[in-house]
Structures are given as C-alpha cells and as structure tokens.
Amino acid sequence: MRRLNRKKTLNLMKELDAFPKVPESYVETSASGGTVSLIAFTTIAFLTIMEFMVYRDTWMKYEYEVDKDFTSKLRINIDITVAMRCQYVGADVLDLAETMVASADGLIYEPVVFELTPQQKELQRMLQLIQSRLQEEHSLQDVIFKSAFKSASTALPPREDNSLQSPDACRIHGHLYVNKVAGNFHITVGKAIPHPRGHAHLAALVSHESYNFSHRIDHLSFGELIPGIINPLDGTEKIASDHNQMFQYFITVVPTKLHTYKISAETHQFSVTERERVINHAAGSHGVSGIFMKYDISSLMVTVTEEHMPFWQFLVRLCGIIGGIFSTTGILHGVGRFVAEIIFCRFRLGSYRSTSVPLPDGHTSNHLPLITENSTH
C-alpha cells in the first residue's frame, strides 16, 4: 500500500511539473549562443554583487509629529572663546518667560590664548571644510548620523606648545538647562546681575577700547551631547572689525529622536541665520555690543530611524535580476539570429546569378542548367 501511495504521489508530482524538458540531442549549440550566455552570466554576477552591496547598506527614514513635551528642560552645550579677558565678559540666558539662567549654573570661564596652534588650526580648517560640504550636499547628514559615537570628538585638542604668552581671551564652556521656550543666550561686556525688570550687566568699569568680540564657536548644540555629530555652528570664527560690534545668530531648534543600529538618543537639530553690524547710535544703528544667540523651539519633532532592506525583498530582487536577464538575452539572441538569417539569405540568393544556355534551334535559355551524371563526367 505504501508503494502504491508513493507511486501515486510521484505521478501526481510529474503531472504538476510545468518546467519544459528538452533532450540534449534537440539542443543546438552555437558560438553566438555561447557568447550571449557568457555576457548574460557576467551581467548577472555584476548585478548580483551590486544588489548585495545595496542590501548591506542602510538609509535614514524621517518621520514628523507634534512635540507634546513642554515640561522638560532643554540642555544647551556651549564651548565659545571670546577675544576678551574673562573679568570683562559675562554670559547668561533670558527666555520669553522672563526666566534668567546665569552662567554660574553650569558654565566655566577659562583664560586662554585666542590664537590657535598649527594643530588646532588644521582641525578647525577640516571642520570648516566639512561644514561647507554639508551645506552643499545635505545627504551627508545621514552619514554623520550613522557614524555617531564612532567618530572622534569635534572639540579642539588642548594646546601642546606650552606658550608663555599671557592669556588674552576667555573660553566659556559647559552646559545650561533652560525652559523649552524661545530665549536668548548672549555674551556681552560685564557680569550679569539680577534686576526686577529683567537683568543687567555691569559694563561701566570696562573701557570701549578694550571691547573685542572676535570669537570662535568650537561647539554649540542642544539636547543630549552625542560625540561625532557636527552641528551647524561648530568651527565658526568671526573677527570683529570694530570695538562696538554686534554678532547675532537666529537659531531654530528642532527636537530629534535618533534611532540607529548603534545608538538611540534624544537630541536636537537646528538651523541658523547669521547677522553682524557695528553699533553706532549717531548713525541710527542701536543695540548692545556682544554675541547674541536667539533660539526658538519648533513645535514639530523629527524621528530619524535607520532602516535596512528585508532579506525576502533582497531575494525577490535577486530572482528578478536573474530571470529578467535570462529572458531578455534569450529574446535579443533570437531576434539577432532572425535578422542575421534574413541578411545572409539575401546574400546567398544574390550569388546565384542566371546563365544563358544555347539551344539547338539557335535560341537561348536563361534557366539554370541541370546537373546530371553525364554532365559530371
């Protein structure tokens, strides 16, 4: 009974077999067919390798939603060097809620030399070059997201020349926690003091000739500090042309959730617009000399997720490549042989020209002569 069931199963499978079976004696091989087969196999191998490289690669998917978190604090990471002594400058944050965050809450004032060493200049030049490429090719930002935590820090290395030059600048670095509302982080002359109607800076004891707001932004970011991420203002350097000069940066901050195969973090991207002008009250240019960074928080949140091609999709694409190339090359080969046979047949017919055969009655016949055994001897 088992053998009968097996035979029935085999017969059923044979009936379901839809693949053509052509005996080898019926298959005609040719040089053109071998050439087309070689081209087909080479193309399949090349496209398979390229498809495997696409399968290994990943891409970033961007999704947008409304940011409903209004109660948490926003972290601002700062590393700015100003070409003035630390006792002459002060930094703080004032938001739209009239909440003042003093620099003493998390910033460090460090006396340094403003001029960079050759090693630091080289790193800054590379950072500025990367910034220029990012402005031209926005897709490079995906590469930076993928390489987060794997790249080296973008901060300038410490000085190694042991310069005996006295410090002429102040490095303000650290972080502050502010409310998630629009605000203004600024660095100006004098230390900040609380005031019932806002805040003020003690600048009366500093002479205007000592004003110099030439500055270098080594790092400025919002949210969680992620090594390897390059922000729009990293590496920026501005040289003041006048003592009373104002530098303004208008920043739009976008909350961002980053999910890759390496990390999962909550950070903030931002775009910036720059403006600078000389303060001259006589000419109608009013304001306060200093560095002002006015930021605004976007109501949208971006979720950046690293995605990968599924394995089943890779197999489907691979089968499409192999089957498509075989079918296409077979059709092209058949059409090519058909065209070649037509051309060669015309040449062969043209080679058999008609000949004139004399007849006994003096007439001629234009038909081809018959070949007989007598005529061959």
Side-chain angles (χ1 to χ4, degrees), residues 274-323:
E274 304 176 12
R275 183 188 178 192
E276 59 182 81
R277 59 188 176 92
V278 176
I279 303 301
N280 188 349
H281 299 285
S285 179
H286 304 290
V288 179
S289 303
I291 304 168
F292 297 86
M293 298 183 177
K294 299 180 180 181
Y295 60 89
D296 191 9
I297 312 298
S298 174
S299 59
L300 293 178
M301 181 175 61
V302 182
T303 302
V304 185
T305 308
E306 185 178 6
E307 292 192 345
H308 188 274
M309 180 188 297
F311 184 71
W312 65 267
Q313 187 175 354
F314 169 70
L315 291 180
V316 171
R317 292 166 64 100
L318 196 62
C319 293
I321 289 174
I322 297 174

Side-chain angles (χ1 to χ4, degrees), residues 46 97 149 211 311:
F46 175 74
F149 280 140
Y211 286 14
F311 184 71

